[in-house]
Amino acid sequence: MTMAVNSVRSPSTGRRQASWGTPLTYALALAVAAVSIAPVIYVVIGGFRTTPQIVANPAGLPDPFVFDNYARVLTQSNFWQQAFNSAVIALGTTLAVVVLGLAAAFVLARYSFRGREGLYTFFTLGLLFPAGAAILPLYLMLRDLDLINSYYAVILPQVAFSLPLTIVILRPFLSAIPRELEDAAAIDGASRLGFLWRVAMPLSRPALVTVGVLAFVASWNSFLLPLLVLSDVNLHTLPLGVQNFSSQYTTDTAGVLAFTSLAMLPALLFFTLAEKQIVGGLQGAVKG
Amino acid sequence: MTSTNQIRMPAGGASASPAGPGGAGRASARRAETRRKWYEIIGLTTPAVIIYVMFVLVPMGFAVYYSLFRWRGVGPPTEFVGLRNYTLAFQDPIFLDALRNNAIIVFGSLLIQGPIALGVALLLNRRFRGRAVFRLLVFVPYVLAEVTVGIMWKLLLTGDGTVDALLRSLGLGGLVRPWLADLDLVIWTLLAVLTWKYVGFAIILLLAGLSNVPDELTEAAAIDGASWWQIQRHVTIPLLGPTIRIWMFLSMIGSLQIFDMIWVTSVPAVRSLGASATMATYMVDNGFFARLWGYGNAVAVILFAISFVAALLFQRFLLRRDIEGAITGRAK
């Protein structure tokens, strides 16, 4: 395996051209990819079969293809309502995490003041708190605040638990912006807040997208908190919907497969679009 | 945020300050500047601090308080029982099973996912056409909700499910098992599913770490005649140390609070016998659904304490150099 040696460095861009790998590389990569996505593909395809087909031959292909399961889920279940609830909660969480996290990380990165490192430690301590451990007292508190069965009951705690990681990822990005840029902005008449708005925010866009995507995916996928604080069926999110549907229609395997596939779709699409950004943003964070 | 009205004001430190260049004017301008700086610091950090204190720290404090009472969640807690909820937990065999299951998940995840992820990351770090597509496919399980993955694998594994049918068609019918119903097997089945789901996260992190390894180093080694494997072994992997330790840390904290997957895949009967219970499912079963709020909060505190001690030990002995500043508070 001499790939690293053979590849050529193209002088103009500094990037090496990709070459065709060895057959062994492809064989291994294909095997890994197959293990990762075969179960997912099985579920998506299974949604196009009927339950008797699945029972008769669990590993077969749809014959014929039926669209009824998907149509049924989309028209008769609460799928759209649940997708809407998930979207509101995930967007609300993401927006709040990014705005609050950016503001706090900006101060921790670009202001020198007494107690700065103390404040940073205070936030990073949150990395050590497993969100799950606080769920019971959180429920009691939200109940006393009369927030149970509202979007806020999910959004506010999710924002709080996402802040530590957001600040840890954003701070090095904001610190890395050269002092000269800040001075130049000051000479042009920008205050520190003008610098945040017009220089720091555009420059740290990759990191902002990363923390935004992480917060969005975490919120979109969350289960325990919504399970406890959203007892109203009309407020249920997709993960709750998947669980309800699967326990309600245990004998309708094809229907459950279709519902599960549809619930996976948004996260998959979203991640496909944002994958480069996530990996790029993490590079800054894992440098250590 | 209340400080937006200050955005357009000229920087106080610049000589164009309205007080002019005079000595007294400059001193008062500096004072005004200091005051404004503090307004900005407070204005920008307060919302984050409030929400963080209110929804992370305060609930943990209440958990400690409630855990000292026998309390059904109605009215204020009055029946103080001291540490009895804690002693009760450690005497309950199902809680001890939950502890054991959490230990299996923590160590199983580290020992199985680590080597797999390292191998796949090194493979996908090689430059070959179509690499981006493979990277994307490997991450798919990680992006899906744990609940969705759980339901999916439940369908594949229960009854005479697809996995069993597949084994039969491969002539391995003897391996067919009640994967999620066998009390001795269920936790290992779940560990396998968790591995499938979370190994992608380790791979993402390692690939991000690998992209920080300078090409010059590996090229220099290649010119010196090192083989691909020698380069990985002696140059690349040692440079991944910090990334590997951060992944271990995140994996450990995640494994300790695992809930969703266990909750949706394992039959409540299996879980309540302790075969697949974790601290988190035990806590929710007892605290929320059985309404033993005092007891549930004691379990929450134990879960928190174990995570906290594990994190501190890990940080003290392994992680210190990597995220200096992140947790110790010292700036890099």
Side-chain angles (χ1 to χ4, degrees):
Chain A
M1 294 199 246
T2 53
M3 207 222 77
V5 188
N6 292 346
S7 50
V8 205
R9 195 173 251 276
S10 83
S12 56
T13 59
R15 286 184 51 188
R16 288 191 290 180
Q17 289 166 357
S19 58
W20 291 100
T22 61
L24 183 63
T25 307
Y26 279 100
L28 286 172
L30 271 174
V32 170
V35 172
S36 304
I37 59 158
V40 177
I41 291 177
Y42 176 83
V43 168
V44 175
I45 291 178
F48 290 107
R49 308 169 73 201
T50 62
T51 303
Q53 277 183 34
I54 296 171
V55 172
N57 178 12
L61 282 172
D63 179 33
F65 265 85
V66 288
F67 295 89
D68 176 59
N69 302 312
Y70 285 101
R72 212 155 26 98
V73 168
L74 290 175
T75 54
Q76 290 168 21
S77 72
N78 296 322
F79 181 85
W80 292 108
Q81 177 69 45
Q82 288 156 0
F84 175 78
N85 293 333
S86 283
V88 171
I89 289 173
L91 288 173
T93 303
T94 307
L95 186 70
V97 166
V98 171
V99 170
L100 299 188
L102 174 67
F106 181 73
V107 169
L108 291 168
R110 315 270 338 167
Y111 287 66
S112 52
F113 59 95
R114 270 173 71 105
R116 182 176 75 165
E117 295 313 315
L119 186 62
Y120 185 58
T121 307
F122 174 70
F123 274 117
T124 52
L125 272 178
L127 292 175
L128 306 181
F129 289 73
I135 203 81
L136 295 184
L138 200 52
Y139 170 84
L140 293 166
M141 198 174 89
L142 293 165
R143 192 184 68 179
D144 291 344
L145 294 172
D146 216 10
L147 287 173
I148 294 296
N149 281 324
S150 74
Y151 291 140
Y152 296 111
V154 186
I155 293 176
L156 292 172
Q158 281 182 353
V159 171
F161 278 101
S162 300
L163 276 173
L165 186 64
T166 303
I167 290 172
V168 167
I169 291 180
L170 286 182
R171 192 193 190 200
F173 247 88
L174 293 166
S175 299
I177 298 171
R179 185 85 213 169
E180 291 75 33
L181 277 180
E182 196 171 350
D183 295 340
I187 289 165
D188 290 345
S191 64
R192 279 181 304 262
L193 293 174
F195 169 74
L196 164 61
W197 182 253
R198 275 178 264 160
V199 183
M201 217 164 79
L203 279 180
S204 48
R205 217 190 60 178
L208 291 174
V209 173
T210 302
V211 296
V213 170
L214 290 176
F216 187 91
V217 171
S219 169
W220 187 269
N221 287 342
S222 74
F223 176 67
L224 177 52
L225 182 62
L227 176 71
L228 300 199
V229 302
L230 301 176
S231 53
D232 181 348
V233 187
N234 293 317
L235 290 173
H236 274 189
T237 55
L238 271 179
L240 294 177
V242 173
Q243 200 226 358
N244 292 343
F245 194 93
S246 78
S247 52
Q248 214 173 333
Y249 301 96
T250 37
T251 51
D252 179 11
T253 309
V256 177
L257 290 173
F259 197 110
T260 310
S261 316
L262 286 168
M264 286 179 193
L265 212 58
L268 281 181
L269 283 178
F270 190 71
F271 184 73
T272 312
L273 297 175
E275 180 258 341
K276 279 224 160 55
Q277 285 282 0
I278 298 182
V279 176
L282 284 173
Q283 278 163 17
V286 298
K287 245 177 223 165
Chain B
M1 259 167 283
T2 52
S3 39
T4 38
N5 56 340
Q6 296 165 349
I7 284 180
R8 300 271 163 198
M9 290 172 74
S15 58
S17 76
R26 204 179 294 156
S28 76
R30 206 179 307 128
R31 234 175 295 128
E33 156 65 15
T34 307
R35 199 179 324 129
R36 192 162 70 219
K37 188 179 94 172
W38 277 103
Y39 284 151
E40 289 172 11
I41 290 171
I42 291 166
L44 289 173
T45 52
T46 305
V49 170
I50 288 178
I51 216 165
Y52 171 69
V53 169
M54 199 164 158
F55 293 98
V56 178
L57 300 184
V58 168
M60 280 317 310
F62 272 114
V64 175
Y65 175 70
Y66 292 143
S67 74
L68 304 174
F69 292 84
R70 193 173 126 157
W71 182 44
R72 307 287 289 188
V74 186
T78 49
E79 198 183 336
F80 183 82
V81 294
L83 296 178
R84 208 180 67 191
N85 286 324
Y86 292 90
T87 51
L88 281 177
F90 282 106
Q91 283 162 11
D92 183 353
I94 296 170
F95 178 72
L96 298 177
D97 282 342
L99 276 180
R100 181 206 60 187
N101 290 338
N102 269 120
I104 290 176
I105 295 170
V106 168
F107 291 106
S109 298
L110 292 177
L111 295 174
I112 301 170
Q113 287 177 35
I116 297 177
L118 191 57
V120 173
L122 290 178
L123 176 76
L124 293 181
N125 196 44
R126 295 162 68 88
R127 284 160 212 273
F128 59 93
R129 269 174 226 271
R131 179 177 73 164
V133 178
F134 286 112
R135 285 187 174 195
L136 207 57
L137 295 180
V138 169
F139 301 158
V140 163
Y142 173 61
V143 193
L144 302 175
E146 235 181 70
V147 172
T148 323
V149 167
I151 301 283
M152 182 183 97
W153 279 101
K154 192 179 173 185
L155 287 171
L156 296 175
L157 287 165
T158 40
D160 202 22
T162 310
V163 170
D164 289 343
L166 196 70
L167 285 172
R168 285 216 179 81
S169 69
L170 292 172
L172 298 168
L175 289 178
V176 168
R177 294 277 185 285
W179 302 104
L180 291 169
D182 182 323
L183 296 186
D184 294 325
L185 186 64
V186 58
I187 190 65
W188 301 101
T189 307
L190 291 172
L191 178 63
V193 176
L194 286 169
T195 303
W196 177 82
K197 165 126 175 66
Y198 283 105
V199 76
F201 176 64
I203 296 171
I204 297 185
L205 276 183
L206 289 174
L207 282 172
L210 281 170
S211 67
N212 290 326
V213 174
D215 284 341
E216 288 70 25
L217 280 181
T218 52
E219 277 165 13
I223 290 167
D224 289 344
S227 72
W228 181 83
W229 173 243
Q230 283 173 325
I231 296 173
Q232 308 306 317
R233 172 75 188 77
H234 296 288
V235 180
T236 313
I237 296 177
L239 287 171
L240 278 179
T243 311
I244 293 173
R245 288 190 287 269
I246 287 176
W247 164 73
M248 288 173 73
F249 177 77
L250 296 173
S251 169
M252 184 182 74
I253 297 286
S255 298
L256 282 171
Q257 54 173 327
I258 206 92
F259 175 86
D260 304 3
M261 179 89 76
I262 313 284
W263 191 261
V264 299
T265 49
S266 60
V267 193
V270 172
R271 197 172 66 226
S272 62
L273 286 172
S276 64
T278 60
M279 283 188 281
T281 65
Y282 184 84
M283 175 184 84
V284 173
D285 268 328
N286 284 285
F288 189 81
F289 287 101
R291 309 228 161 254
L292 303 169
W293 287 102
Y295 186 63
N297 276 294
V299 176
V301 174
I302 296 170
L303 169 53
F304 164 72
I306 292 176
S307 309
F308 193 73
V309 170
L312 283 184
L313 288 176
F314 192 86
Q315 196 251 332
R316 172 73 184 76
F317 291 110
L318 276 169
L319 210 56
R320 196 177 36 194
R321 285 162 298 161
D322 307 328
I323 44 172
E324 196 99 273
I327 290 174
T328 59
R330 258 169 290 145
K332 272 181 268 191

